[in-house]
Each structure stands twice: as C-alpha cells, then as structure tokens.
Amino acid sequence: MAQADFVSLNCDLNPTSYHLMDARRLACMRPEAVLINAARGPIVDEPALVEAFAEGKIAGAALDVFGARAPPLG
C-alpha cells in the first residue's frame, strides 16, 4: 500500500472485510495514491476516507458502491 499508485478493492463483504479500509490502512497509502472500491460499500470506512482526502493523505477515490448510510444522489 505504501508503494501503490492505485489500490483497487475487489472482495466480498464479510466480517473480516467490513471497514477493511479504515483510517489506519488509509494512512499507509501514498499522498499521490487513489483508492478504487468496486466491491461492496461497507468495505471502506467512508468517514475515514473523507478525512484522509481532506487532510491530503490520499489524492482521491473512485467509488461505484456506497455504504448503507450514504446520502441519496440527485
């Protein structure tokens, strides 16, 4: 994670993958890195992701799924 330009998540949601990408793991990423979640929304701790992005710890994220508490689009 410390060397990757892109980190792509493509795993199933289970008790061990829930919030797999939490604040601790996001902090391991490079400031130039981008997180891609094409798996299940709850694998990413979304508040921790927002904080990591706001603090410049990662460059961005591409999400095609969101957690259950995500606001509706539109």
Side-chain angles (χ1 to χ4, degrees):
M1 298 247 310
Q3 298 177 355
D5 292 324
F6 295 89
V7 174
S8 179
L9 304 174
N10 303 283
C11 58
D12 65 333
L13 179 61
N14 60 54
T16 61
S17 66
Y18 180 83
H19 283 183
L20 177 69
M21 291 302 296
D22 56 9
R24 182 179 59 84
R25 285 198 175 94
L26 290 166
C28 294
M29 294 179 67
R30 298 176 46 222
E32 302 85 10
V34 175
L35 176 70
I36 302 167
N37 186 9
R40 299 288 183 248
I43 292 172
V44 176
D45 179 350
E46 291 171 357
L49 176 62
V50 170
E51 183 176 327
F53 180 70
E55 293 178 357
K57 293 179 181 175
I58 64 171
L63 309 173
D64 75 342
V65 291
F66 297 97
R69 290 180 272 151
L73 300 175

